[in-house]
Amino acid sequence: MNLYTYLLANARPQDTAIVSRREAVTYGELVAIAERIAFTLSEIGIGRGDRVGIVAENSATWVASYLSILKLGAVATPFPARLSSEKLRQLAELTQCRAVCADRTRVSQCAAHLSDMSVVVSLDGLFTGPAQPAGGEVIPVQSDFQGTCATADVAERSDLAALMFTSGSTGEPNAVKVSHRNIMANTASIVEYLGLGSDDRMMVLLPFDYCFGLSLLHTHLRVGGTLVLNNASQFAEDVLDDLEQFECTGFAGVPAIYQHFLRRSTLPRRALPRLRHAQQAGGKLANAHITEFHSALPHVRFFVMYGQTEATSRLSYLPPKLLDEKLGSIGRGIPGVSLRVLDASGRPVKPDEIGEIVAEGDNVTLGYWVPDPAKESFRDGRLYTGDLARVDADGFIYLVGRISDFIKPSGHRISSKEIEDLLAEMPEIVEAAVVGVPDPDLGEAVKAYVVTRDGRELSVKQIHDHCRGRIPLYAIPRDVAFLPALPKNGAQKVLKRALPAQ
């Protein structure tokens, strides 16, 4: 089955698919625009297996473009919306995109830097009225097409639906090959454990070019629900107003979003009676923040989840009813996924031993677009995640940290995440990033970059007093730098490489 057919199987034409402060689009309107884009792409020769980029912020046109590409059996290749021209061209060359669909604010950039290698299709005016005239290097979507395009037959296990960008072992960009079956399997699993239905209205802050954000699109289209779009998560009060105005039933975010909303907004003081569930993934949220959210909104089912782009999106979840009993756990494998923690010999670890998380299931993707032998993530049909964890006696998994994110002061090995979670317990701290820096005495010392609630610096003594007795002396940050914000990518993940000179 083509993913296009799967996603729209439960859609009713009159129901609202996309809504924001700027637009409200029904499923019928969404499909009609997707057909027009598909016809335009087919007219320039796009077909099964061709890569087609999308350069746009979250919007109805983004969704319609994505659906049109799937319909033709082509491969959707979402680019981060805010890329430099050089990086955009690099990614387009990497994936050999034959065409790129761009919104009004990005079509000129694409025409100037991509038109010699890709056909640039303008999405201007599709839902908002007459389009601006297109230049010679840009073609507009056919406005007078009223029919339907044939939905391509695909081999759902081997044909690609999307290429999702990630970083290779060298830090250079790479892409993960995601099949139609990968997405269908992961979507069905998420819908099942969240209990989603057509009355769900999801607040979407995460970009669709990020696998977590795209999973919100997949799951809510699949059940015929509504996506409420807001592309400005930094304005927390506006987001909260939208949650109330559009009667959202769902909210999703990475740790940085929850940290910001819990300690720099009125979220803890808002009732939000319509909100039914919250999803957290994209890194481990500190236990202190999980407890704060649960205390502030006890009626909201809070789902701690874990996943990777290499696994389409989700790998595990912790049932909300176990949040107190298993605080700090990422749960167990989602339906259809076998998730184990294995030692260096490939054997399951005993309780409280540490090993690598290894996954098997239909959501494990087909590998990297450019083979990356240094990572060796895909072996024998399994995904070796590169994440270290321990399990308890009941089989619940507790993430320890990335193999690559450990610090070794005085030869000892400690996860930076363990220190960051400890700092997060201090109510004055919004977020923290911990790294290792060269040190003449320890070889490598711990340094913390900290963002406080009101911008005022804490003393190093306050931080040391909080940590003393909780972690070994060698793990206590020797140096603390205070920043107004931590550097992040479009998915709001912290970029430790972009921290000020260490």
Side-chain angles (χ1 to χ4, degrees):
M1 180 189 296
N2 189 310
L3 179 61
Y4 173 88
T5 303
Y6 175 85
L7 292 178
L8 296 174
N10 300 305
R12 298 189 301 179
Q14 71 275 18
D15 288 347
T16 301
I18 310 288
V19 67
S20 70
R21 294 188 181 192
R22 296 183 300 174
E23 59 186 354
V25 177
T26 67
Y27 276 97
E29 293 167 332
L30 184 67
V31 169
I33 294 295
E35 293 284 4
R36 286 168 53 188
I37 300 173
F39 176 76
T40 304
L41 291 173
S42 67
E43 286 289 282
I44 59 175
I46 299 298
R48 183 174 170 180
D50 291 327
R51 273 76 63 200
V52 179
I54 306 174
V55 188
E57 286 196 334
N58 287 5
S59 62
T61 52
W62 197 106
V63 179
S65 301
Y66 181 71
L67 291 172
S68 72
I69 296 165
L70 296 176
K71 186 178 181 67
L72 296 176
V75 184
T77 307
F79 297 113
R82 293 179 175 86
L83 279 181
S84 68
S85 298
E86 179 182 351
K87 184 65 71 172
L88 177 61
R89 185 175 179 86
Q90 180 185 4
L91 296 184
E93 288 179 340
L94 175 72
T95 53
Q96 299 175 308
C97 282
R98 287 198 56 201
V100 174
C101 298
D103 65 12
R104 177 182 296 185
T105 60
R106 291 158 185 83
V107 70
S108 296
Q109 179 193 26
C110 291
H113 298 277
L114 301 180
S115 60
D116 63 327
M117 57 183 291
S118 305
V119 177
V120 180
V121 177
S122 172
L123 304 175
D124 186 17
L126 289 180
F127 288 102
T128 57
Q132 298 294 320
E137 298 172 321
V138 178
I139 65 169
V141 173
Q142 295 283 350
S143 60
D144 56 354
F145 179 72
Q146 303 296 324
T148 59
C149 293
T151 301
D153 291 328
V154 297
E156 63 181 49
R157 290 187 177 275
S158 57
D159 279 1
L160 300 186
L163 288 175
M164 300 299 294
F165 290 106
T166 185
S167 294
S169 58
T170 63
E172 291 300 312
N174 202 343
V176 173
K177 300 187 293 185
V178 190
S179 73
H180 290 255
R181 179 60 185 165
N182 290 152
I183 295 173
M184 287 188 277
N186 210 219
T187 299
S189 182
I190 298 169
V191 167
E192 177 184 340
Y193 73 73
L194 290 178
L196 298 178
S198 60
D199 62 338
D200 273 291
R201 300 170 70 85
M202 169 55 69
M203 168 59 71
V204 181
L205 303 177
L206 300 168
F208 291 142
D209 58 74
Y210 169 41
C211 68
F212 188 4
L214 192 56
S215 76
L216 303 177
L217 171 62
H218 293 148
T219 51
H220 287 74
L221 289 187
R222 172 60 179 170
V223 299
T226 302
L227 297 159
V228 180
L229 306 184
N230 187 306
N231 295 324
S233 62
Q234 70 272 27
F235 299 110
E237 299 306 326
D238 288 346
V239 172
L240 294 172
D241 289 344
D242 283 359
L243 273 170
E244 294 177 338
Q245 177 186 342
F246 295 114
E247 299 183 334
C248 293
T249 63
F251 181 85
V254 297
I257 288 176
Y258 281 99
Q259 291 161 186
H260 179 65
F261 275 69
L262 283 167
R263 295 191 176 175
R264 278 186 166 173
S265 83
T266 59
L267 173 66
R269 299 190 296 278
R270 299 218 188 190
L272 301 176
R274 301 283 187 177
L275 193 62
R276 296 199 292 248
H277 83 270
Q279 305 177 36
Q280 184 272 308
K284 183 182 179 297
L285 183 63
N287 293 350
H289 291 116
I290 295 172
T291 301
E292 284 177 34
F293 187 95
H294 189 47
S295 298
L297 296 166
H299 68 283
V300 178
R301 296 182 303 150
F302 191 85
F303 287 85
V304 175
M305 306 185 301
Y306 162 76
Q308 286 195 343
T309 306
E310 289 86 346
T312 305
S313 178
R314 302 276 71 78
L315 280 168
S316 77
Y317 82 102
L318 179 68
K321 64 183 180 182
L322 298 177
L323 204 59
D324 293 330
E325 180 185 348
K326 302 292 184 181
L327 184 64
S329 173
I330 59 170
R332 294 184 288 200
I334 63 176
V337 170
S338 168
L339 205 62
R340 297 186 293 170
V341 180
L342 305 181
D343 64 19
S345 301
R347 293 187 294 266
V349 298
K350 297 175 182 178
D352 293 326
E353 290 182 346
I354 293 176
E356 182 177 5
I357 299 175
V358 179
E360 292 181 77
D362 279 351
N363 63 318
V364 173
T365 61
L366 304 184
Y368 296 111
W369 181 249
V370 178
D372 191 348
K375 291 190 84 168
E376 296 187 18
S377 299
F378 300 91
R379 285 178 265 158
D380 304 320
R382 299 172 176 177
L383 171 63
Y384 288 75
T385 65
D387 287 319
L388 296 179
R390 61 181 178 84
V391 297
D392 66 14
D394 299 318
F396 284 83
I397 300 171
Y398 292 76
L399 195 63
V400 174
R402 294 289 294 170
I403 291 175
S404 59
D405 200 21
F406 277 73
I407 304 170
K408 295 182 179 178
S410 296
H412 301 283
R413 197 161 178 259
I414 188 165
S415 165
S416 62
K417 188 61 183 169
E418 181 179 345
I419 307 170
E420 291 162 1
D421 286 356
L422 182 59
L423 295 177
E425 293 178 4
M426 300 182 71
E428 303 91 343
I429 292 178
V430 176
E431 55 185 344
V434 170
V435 298
V437 295
D439 183 89
D441 300 320
L442 301 179
E444 189 173 37
V446 176
K447 180 172 183 175
Y449 292 85
V450 172
V451 177
T452 60
R453 187 192 296 265
D454 55 10
R456 287 183 292 183
E457 296 185 3
L458 302 170
S459 69
V460 174
K461 182 178 183 302
Q462 285 176 283
I463 290 176
H464 284 189
D465 288 346
H466 177 75
C467 294
R468 192 170 289 115
R470 308 283 299 282
I471 53 176
L473 286 175
Y474 59 74
I476 296 176
R478 280 199 165 192
D479 187 17
V480 180
F482 293 90
L483 301 176
L486 297 180
K488 301 182 182 73
N489 63 14
Q492 293 301 297
K493 287 190 173 185
V494 175
L495 298 172
K496 289 189 176 182
R497 292 177 183 173
L499 288 166
Q502 297 171 14

